Amino acid sequence: MTTQKIDIAGKLAGFTELWAPRRIARVNDYEVKVAKVRGEFVWHTHEDTDELFLVVAGTLTIRLRDGGVVLGPGEMYVVPRGTEHCPAADEEAHILLFEPSGTVNTGTAGGDRTREPVGA
């Protein structure tokens, strides 16, 4: 565990890969991750946990089967557990995620976009 402050923008500047979360901190049994995103992810569900999205830069849409939520910088949304969703961004967006350690980024969908978070 670090006792140093964390520069979120600096962590985001350290990589270019899209849809590949980077772990920047732990809070009890939770991980704080950052990611760069563009395009559409996959429709998926996290059956056992909520998922918090906070937009750092750009615009992110959380698509839901009954609509969607558009987020800009400084805005966040919590996807309730068991809710099918699909994050999407027309242009590159930078996001922060907060979820329990071990949460699979593609939830129950799996597939080639499944990534284990690495340290940033």
PDB file of all heavy atoms in Angstrom, residues 103-119:
ATOM      1  N   THR A 103     -12.884  -8.347  -9.643  1.00  0.00           N
ATOM      2  CA  THR A 103     -14.004  -8.173 -10.560  1.00  0.00           C
ATOM      3  C   THR A 103     -13.495  -8.257 -11.998  1.00  0.00           C
ATOM      4  O   THR A 103     -12.563  -7.554 -12.377  1.00  0.00           O
ATOM      5  CB  THR A 103     -14.701  -6.814 -10.327  1.00  0.00           C
ATOM      6  OG1 THR A 103     -15.199  -6.784  -8.987  1.00  0.00           O
ATOM      7  CG2 THR A 103     -15.838  -6.589 -11.304  1.00  0.00           C
ATOM      8  N   VAL A 104     -14.105  -9.095 -12.789  1.00  0.00           N
ATOM      9  CA  VAL A 104     -13.722  -9.274 -14.197  1.00  0.00           C
ATOM     10  C   VAL A 104     -14.334  -8.133 -15.007  1.00  0.00           C
ATOM     11  O   VAL A 104     -15.537  -7.872 -14.901  1.00  0.00           O
ATOM     12  CB  VAL A 104     -14.202 -10.642 -14.724  1.00  0.00           C
ATOM     13  CG1 VAL A 104     -13.878 -10.807 -16.202  1.00  0.00           C
ATOM     14  CG2 VAL A 104     -13.589 -11.766 -13.901  1.00  0.00           C
ATOM     15  N   ASN A 105     -13.518  -7.470 -15.823  1.00  0.00           N
ATOM     16  CA  ASN A 105     -13.993  -6.285 -16.541  1.00  0.00           C
ATOM     17  C   ASN A 105     -15.135  -6.580 -17.506  1.00  0.00           C
ATOM     18  O   ASN A 105     -15.978  -5.723 -17.751  1.00  0.00           O
ATOM     19  CB  ASN A 105     -12.841  -5.565 -17.263  1.00  0.00           C
ATOM     20  CG  ASN A 105     -12.264  -6.357 -18.419  1.00  0.00           C
ATOM     21  OD1 ASN A 105     -12.177  -7.582 -18.377  1.00  0.00           O
ATOM     22  ND2 ASN A 105     -11.816  -5.671 -19.442  1.00  0.00           N
ATOM     23  N   THR A 106     -15.212  -7.787 -18.029  1.00  0.00           N
ATOM     24  CA  THR A 106     -16.288  -8.147 -18.950  1.00  0.00           C
ATOM     25  C   THR A 106     -17.427  -8.880 -18.242  1.00  0.00           C
ATOM     26  O   THR A 106     -18.335  -9.408 -18.888  1.00  0.00           O
ATOM     27  CB  THR A 106     -15.761  -9.020 -20.093  1.00  0.00           C
ATOM     28  OG1 THR A 106     -15.060 -10.133 -19.533  1.00  0.00           O
ATOM     29  CG2 THR A 106     -14.863  -8.240 -21.025  1.00  0.00           C
ATOM     30  N   GLY A 107     -17.384  -8.935 -16.920  1.00  0.00           N
ATOM     31  CA  GLY A 107     -18.453  -9.568 -16.155  1.00  0.00           C
ATOM     32  C   GLY A 107     -18.735 -10.973 -16.622  1.00  0.00           C
ATOM     33  O   GLY A 107     -17.813 -11.770 -16.815  1.00  0.00           O
ATOM     34  N   THR A 108     -19.995 -11.266 -16.866  1.00  0.00           N
ATOM     35  CA  THR A 108     -20.392 -12.607 -17.281  1.00  0.00           C
ATOM     36  C   THR A 108     -20.215 -12.832 -18.775  1.00  0.00           C
ATOM     37  O   THR A 108     -20.375 -13.952 -19.248  1.00  0.00           O
ATOM     38  CB  THR A 108     -21.871 -12.853 -16.912  1.00  0.00           C
ATOM     39  OG1 THR A 108     -22.670 -11.834 -17.531  1.00  0.00           O
ATOM     40  CG2 THR A 108     -22.088 -12.834 -15.408  1.00  0.00           C
ATOM     41  N   ALA A 109     -19.866 -11.798 -19.547  1.00  0.00           N
ATOM     42  CA  ALA A 109     -19.755 -11.932 -21.000  1.00  0.00           C
ATOM     43  C   ALA A 109     -18.476 -12.649 -21.429  1.00  0.00           C
ATOM     44  O   ALA A 109     -18.467 -13.363 -22.421  1.00  0.00           O
ATOM     45  CB  ALA A 109     -19.815 -10.555 -21.666  1.00  0.00           C
ATOM     46  N   GLY A 110     -17.359 -12.436 -20.687  1.00  0.00           N
ATOM     47  CA  GLY A 110     -16.086 -13.034 -21.103  1.00  0.00           C
ATOM     48  C   GLY A 110     -15.651 -12.503 -22.458  1.00  0.00           C
ATOM     49  O   GLY A 110     -16.016 -11.398 -22.841  1.00  0.00           O
ATOM     50  N   GLY A 111     -14.847 -13.259 -23.162  1.00  0.00           N
ATOM     51  CA  GLY A 111     -14.425 -12.873 -24.506  1.00  0.00           C
ATOM     52  C   GLY A 111     -13.036 -12.269 -24.557  1.00  0.00           C
ATOM     53  O   GLY A 111     -12.312 -12.218 -23.564  1.00  0.00           O
ATOM     54  N   ASP A 112     -12.673 -11.799 -25.752  1.00  0.00           N
ATOM     55  CA  ASP A 112     -11.304 -11.327 -25.992  1.00  0.00           C
ATOM     56  C   ASP A 112     -10.996  -9.968 -25.383  1.00  0.00           C
ATOM     57  O   ASP A 112      -9.852  -9.534 -25.379  1.00  0.00           O
ATOM     58  CB  ASP A 112     -10.981 -11.320 -27.486  1.00  0.00           C
ATOM     59  CG  ASP A 112     -11.840 -10.380 -28.302  1.00  0.00           C
ATOM     60  OD1 ASP A 112     -12.832  -9.836 -27.779  1.00  0.00           O
ATOM     61  OD2 ASP A 112     -11.518 -10.180 -29.491  1.00  0.00           O
ATOM     62  N   ARG A 113     -11.968  -9.292 -24.850  1.00  0.00           N
ATOM     63  CA  ARG A 113     -11.718  -8.017 -24.167  1.00  0.00           C
ATOM     64  C   ARG A 113     -11.498  -8.194 -22.670  1.00  0.00           C
ATOM     65  O   ARG A 113     -11.300  -7.216 -21.955  1.00  0.00           O
ATOM     66  CB  ARG A 113     -12.858  -7.042 -24.415  1.00  0.00           C
ATOM     67  CG  ARG A 113     -12.862  -6.496 -25.842  1.00  0.00           C
ATOM     68  CD  ARG A 113     -13.131  -5.036 -25.801  1.00  0.00           C
ATOM     69  NE  ARG A 113     -12.832  -4.407 -27.047  1.00  0.00           N
ATOM     70  CZ  ARG A 113     -13.529  -3.394 -27.533  1.00  0.00           C
ATOM     71  NH1 ARG A 113     -14.563  -2.934 -26.856  1.00  0.00           N
ATOM     72  NH2 ARG A 113     -13.179  -2.816 -28.647  1.00  0.00           N
ATOM     73  N   THR A 114     -11.558  -9.413 -22.188  1.00  0.00           N
ATOM     74  CA  THR A 114     -11.318  -9.665 -20.757  1.00  0.00           C
ATOM     75  C   THR A 114      -9.868  -9.368 -20.443  1.00  0.00           C
ATOM     76  O   THR A 114      -8.967  -9.865 -21.117  1.00  0.00           O
ATOM     77  CB  THR A 114     -11.669 -11.120 -20.395  1.00  0.00           C
ATOM     78  OG1 THR A 114     -13.040 -11.355 -20.717  1.00  0.00           O
ATOM     79  CG2 THR A 114     -11.442 -11.382 -18.911  1.00  0.00           C
ATOM     80  N   ARG A 115      -9.642  -8.531 -19.452  1.00  0.00           N
ATOM     81  CA  ARG A 115      -8.286  -8.142 -19.040  1.00  0.00           C
ATOM     82  C   ARG A 115      -8.177  -8.194 -17.524  1.00  0.00           C
ATOM     83  O   ARG A 115      -9.055  -7.736 -16.806  1.00  0.00           O
ATOM     84  CB  ARG A 115      -7.960  -6.712 -19.461  1.00  0.00           C
ATOM     85  CG  ARG A 115      -7.978  -6.439 -20.929  1.00  0.00           C
ATOM     86  CD  ARG A 115      -6.721  -6.966 -21.624  1.00  0.00           C
ATOM     87  NE  ARG A 115      -6.658  -6.582 -23.003  1.00  0.00           N
ATOM     88  CZ  ARG A 115      -7.291  -7.181 -24.013  1.00  0.00           C
ATOM     89  NH1 ARG A 115      -8.076  -8.216 -23.746  1.00  0.00           N
ATOM     90  NH2 ARG A 115      -7.185  -6.759 -25.243  1.00  0.00           N
ATOM     91  N   GLU A 116      -7.068  -8.723 -17.069  1.00  0.00           N
ATOM     92  CA  GLU A 116      -6.714  -8.664 -15.655  1.00  0.00           C
ATOM     93  C   GLU A 116      -6.043  -7.309 -15.453  1.00  0.00           C
ATOM     94  O   GLU A 116      -5.141  -6.941 -16.209  1.00  0.00           O
ATOM     95  CB  GLU A 116      -5.732  -9.790 -15.319  1.00  0.00           C
ATOM     96  CG  GLU A 116      -5.324  -9.846 -13.873  1.00  0.00           C
ATOM     97  CD  GLU A 116      -6.443 -10.302 -12.950  1.00  0.00           C
ATOM     98  OE1 GLU A 116      -7.327 -11.038 -13.404  1.00  0.00           O
ATOM     99  OE2 GLU A 116      -6.427  -9.885 -11.783  1.00  0.00           O
ATOM    100  N   PRO A 117      -6.489  -6.508 -14.481  1.00  0.00           N
ATOM    101  CA  PRO A 117      -5.850  -5.192 -14.311  1.00  0.00           C
ATOM    102  C   PRO A 117      -4.394  -5.331 -13.884  1.00  0.00           C
ATOM    103  O   PRO A 117      -4.051  -6.238 -13.111  1.00  0.00           O
ATOM    104  CB  PRO A 117      -6.679  -4.520 -13.225  1.00  0.00           C
ATOM    105  CG  PRO A 117      -7.307  -5.644 -12.481  1.00  0.00           C
ATOM    106  CD  PRO A 117      -7.503  -6.749 -13.472  1.00  0.00           C
ATOM    107  N   VAL A 118      -3.561  -4.492 -14.431  1.00  0.00           N
ATOM    108  CA  VAL A 118      -2.154  -4.447 -14.036  1.00  0.00           C
ATOM    109  C   VAL A 118      -1.916  -3.140 -13.310  1.00  0.00           C
ATOM    110  O   VAL A 118      -2.709  -2.198 -13.423  1.00  0.00           O
ATOM    111  CB  VAL A 118      -1.214  -4.568 -15.265  1.00  0.00           C
ATOM    112  CG1 VAL A 118      -1.402  -5.916 -15.951  1.00  0.00           C
ATOM    113  CG2 VAL A 118      -1.459  -3.448 -16.261  1.00  0.00           C
ATOM    114  N   GLY A 119      -0.828  -3.060 -12.582  1.00  0.00           N
ATOM    115  CA  GLY A 119      -0.480  -1.813 -11.904  1.00  0.00           C
ATOM    116  C   GLY A 119      -0.082  -0.753 -12.880  1.00  0.00           C
ATOM    117  O   GLY A 119       0.498  -1.039 -13.923  1.00  0.00           O
TER     118      GLY A 119
END
